[in-house]
Amino acid sequence: MRHRWYRVSPRRLALATTLAVCLLAISTCSPRPTTLEWIQLRGVLRVASTNSPTTCYVGPELPLGFQCEVLERFADALDVQLVVKYVPTEAAALRAVERGQADLAAGVVATRRLAGVMWLSAPLQQVTQQLVSSAAPVPKDLAALQGTLEVPARSAAEAALTAVRQRLPDLQWTVSHSLGAEDLLYRVAQGTLAYTVSDSDLVALNQRFYPGLVGSLQLTAPQAVVWATRRSEDTSLNSAIDRFFTQLGATLDKLRSAYFTNRSSLDSLDITQFTSDYDTLLPEYRQMFISAAKKNGMDWRLLAAIGYQESHWDPSAVSPTGVRGLMMLTLPTAQRVNVADREHPGHAIHGGARYFAMMLDSIPASVPQPDRTWMALAAWNMGLGHLLDARGIVQKRDGNPDRWNDVKRALPLLTQEKWFDQTRYGYAPGNQAVRFVDNVRSYYDILVWLTAGQSKLIAAS
């Protein structure tokens, strides 16, 4: 078991001392500690969440997902550690709060019934149920559908269609008991299913990977996605959440954009910009890449390609999700590779080289080059655990887990509930990892061509 050591701040130490005195003389200590004070004494904010891209999932270093990005900031504001308890449904998250197993449930849809039994935060986002297709023309009415419409069983999508049937009694659809929302979106994108209905935020996220997806008809009015806590006379935690949201301000909009704004893949304009940046930006950092790569036994052009994919060789780059610097290192990764200043280009490049060397060393010894490098790139982007999960899926599909092409085909399956439910680390944006590797390989190939040499480390696959 991995043990974590936590920094004890003076504020927490003072609070612990106060509460310890109260516990020794509980009858004379008034008022009793609040919920917020207990969380700060414990040093942990316990959150119940579904395992999904719109809420939380296991990242390379910390929990990721839109909700978890906000939750990390809230935990930081409270000076505590975020611990996520993954549950299968929103209802299970709410039950965990009711039973005292979690302090709050994240990413739940606000309803009148829920507002009557739980305290609900201000909305983090608004979602609707959308009809999704991939072929033109986009239907203008549900009565005009031509093809199979399929939705997950016992889902918000099924509930929305049931409500629509009151005005369209002839509306037909198929209910899947084995496929989740992302499985069905994938099938629509591949053209093997005509339509599905899904949350608008999930549609927006998947449009990054499947630009042909079209979310058209809205079946429901916008619904607020909120945090929920136990309804109680003790409102200390609720008040802290309210204050935090007020302070968060425009950062919340930036996080929404970071997760739900469509991003196109590498195209001719990217390549043109890259060749221009090769002449204007790379010379300042080229020797740093060469030195760091030589020290860690890798091709400097591969390291430079990673840096370009991450920041476009911008040492002051900062993402809405908190990564920064030329190699866009997270704070935990920077600490792991002894980088104190992520925005110092030399420190960032050497730290990035050390981290990539760690990823290479973590790939099973049976994996040869160049597959080893491509898998290490995927692990850099999504975390080693998810890469190993994908290799496990390859084995279940009778493929070769030591071949990158087989693993590459399995990575997108980590977005599909049918598959990620069978893995150790759960949901992961495998499509994003595939795109990351493809882009780095493209930049690397261009660098090899521009430097008029062939890589001695990575043979062509």
Side-chain angles (χ1 to χ4, degrees):
M1 178 182 291
R2 246 173 70 184
H3 295 275
R4 293 186 180 181
W5 294 89
Y6 302 116
R7 173 179 58 84
V8 180
S9 68
R11 182 178 69 179
R12 188 181 300 164
L13 184 61
L15 179 60
T17 302
T18 300
L19 292 179
V21 171
C22 290
L23 290 172
L24 289 172
I26 193 70
S27 62
T28 61
C29 186
S30 180
R32 292 176 63 87
T34 65
T35 300
L36 181 61
E37 287 171 338
W38 279 119
I39 290 171
Q40 291 175 317
L41 173 62
R42 191 171 63 223
V44 170
L45 175 67
R46 304 168 306 164
V47 174
S49 170
T50 55
N51 185 287
S52 80
T54 59
T55 52
C56 295
Y57 61 91
V58 179
E61 296 286 346
L62 296 170
L64 294 179
F66 171 68
Q67 291 288 336
C68 265
E69 292 285 358
V70 183
L71 287 162
E72 280 286 356
R73 285 163 169 76
F74 182 50
D76 287 344
L78 298 183
D79 196 23
V80 298
Q81 181 79 14
L82 173 66
V83 172
V84 179
K85 174 184 174 66
Y86 292 104
V87 294
T89 64
E90 288 185 18
L94 295 169
R95 283 196 299 271
V97 173
E98 291 171 346
R99 294 169 180 173
Q101 299 167 343
D103 301 307
L104 67 87
V108 298
V109 174
T111 64
R112 288 185 179 180
R113 186 199 65 79
L114 185 58
V117 296
M118 305 283 284
W119 178 85
L120 306 182
S121 72
L124 283 86
Q125 61 198 113
Q126 300 279 342
V127 299
T128 63
Q129 293 299 311
Q130 287 185 329
L131 178 72
V132 186
S133 62
S134 64
V138 176
K140 297 181 179 180
D141 189 272
L142 288 174
L145 300 188
Q146 295 182 349
T148 301
L149 166 61
E150 188 171 2
V151 297
R154 298 181 299 277
S155 64
E158 184 182 12
L161 289 172
T162 301
V164 170
R165 183 172 269 171
Q166 295 179 10
R167 67 177 180 85
L168 293 175
D170 294 331
L171 180 64
Q172 299 294 321
W173 64 86
T174 299
V175 172
S176 174
H177 292 273
S178 60
L179 299 178
E182 286 205 276
D183 302 280
L184 297 176
L185 286 171
Y186 175 78
R187 293 193 173 200
V188 172
Q190 297 300 308
T192 58
L193 176 65
Y195 310 101
T196 189
V197 173
S198 186
D199 291 347
S200 55
D201 56 355
L202 191 61
V203 175
L205 190 147
N206 276 269
Q207 283 171 332
R208 291 185 176 187
F209 315 119
Y210 313 125
L213 285 179
V214 178
S216 53
L217 300 176
Q218 293 189 0
L219 276 62
T220 62
Q223 295 175 291
V225 178
V226 299
W227 294 351
T229 67
R230 294 176 71 177
R231 186 173 286 279
S232 166
E233 292 181 0
D234 180 355
T235 61
S236 58
L237 177 57
N238 307 341
S239 296
I241 292 173
D242 285 338
R243 288 193 301 271
F244 169 71
F245 280 6
T246 299
Q247 295 165 359
L248 199 60
T251 301
L252 189 58
D253 293 330
K254 292 180 181 178
L255 287 172
R256 286 194 199 99
S257 178
Y259 275 89
F260 303 118
T261 300
N262 189 23
R263 298 174 182 175
S264 60
S265 301
L266 188 66
D267 57 23
S268 59
L269 292 178
D270 294 313
I271 295 172
T272 300
Q273 184 64 52
F274 176 72
T275 55
S276 173
D277 291 342
Y278 170 83
D279 292 324
T280 59
L281 299 180
L282 182 59
E284 183 175 355
Y285 311 114
R286 180 169 177 156
Q287 194 55 46
M288 298 177 193
F289 282 120
I290 292 173
S291 173
K294 183 177 180 180
K295 190 172 182 179
N296 290 276
M298 62 188 66
D299 189 327
W300 74 268
R301 294 166 294 190
L302 177 68
L303 191 60
I306 296 172
Y308 192 81
Q309 170 63 20
E310 290 286 18
S311 73
H312 283 207
W313 297 327
D314 178 4
S316 62
V318 180
S319 86
T321 57
V323 294
R324 63 180 62 234
L326 194 146
M327 301 301 287
M328 294 299 273
L329 302 176
T330 65
L331 183 57
T333 297
Q335 293 170 340
R336 185 176 175 186
V337 295
N338 299 316
V339 173
D341 183 0
R342 289 179 285 170
E343 294 188 42
H344 185 289
H347 295 176
I349 290 170
H350 279 268
R354 290 192 293 272
Y355 185 63
F356 187 69
M358 290 179 185
M359 293 297 100
L360 274 172
D361 290 343
S362 300
I363 303 301
S366 58
V367 181
Q369 287 288 17
D371 304 73
R372 186 179 194 83
T373 292
W374 312 144
M375 291 190 200
L377 286 172
W380 165 295
N381 178 258
M382 71 189 307
L384 180 64
H386 290 307
L387 176 74
L388 298 178
D389 281 348
R391 285 169 50 83
I393 290 176
V394 171
Q395 289 179 308
K396 290 178 181 179
R397 289 158 58 95
D398 296 325
N400 183 349
D402 292 343
R403 282 182 51 84
W404 165 245
N405 284 339
D406 285 5
V407 174
K408 179 179 179 179
R409 284 191 288 270
L411 283 169
L413 300 179
L414 292 175
T415 68
Q416 300 179 31
E417 190 173 359
K418 171 185 174 182
W419 289 102
F420 72 66
D421 269 355
Q422 304 178 42
T423 65
R424 178 178 180 182
Y425 294 97
Y427 172 88
N431 302 285
Q432 176 178 301
V434 168
R435 185 175 63 177
F436 178 87
V437 176
D438 285 347
N439 286 1
V440 170
R441 290 183 66 173
S442 295
Y443 292 135
Y444 173 74
D445 288 343
I446 296 169
L447 280 173
V448 169
W449 175 71
L450 290 172
T451 54
Q454 298 298 319
S455 168
K456 297 178 181 179
L457 178 66
I458 308 173
S461 61

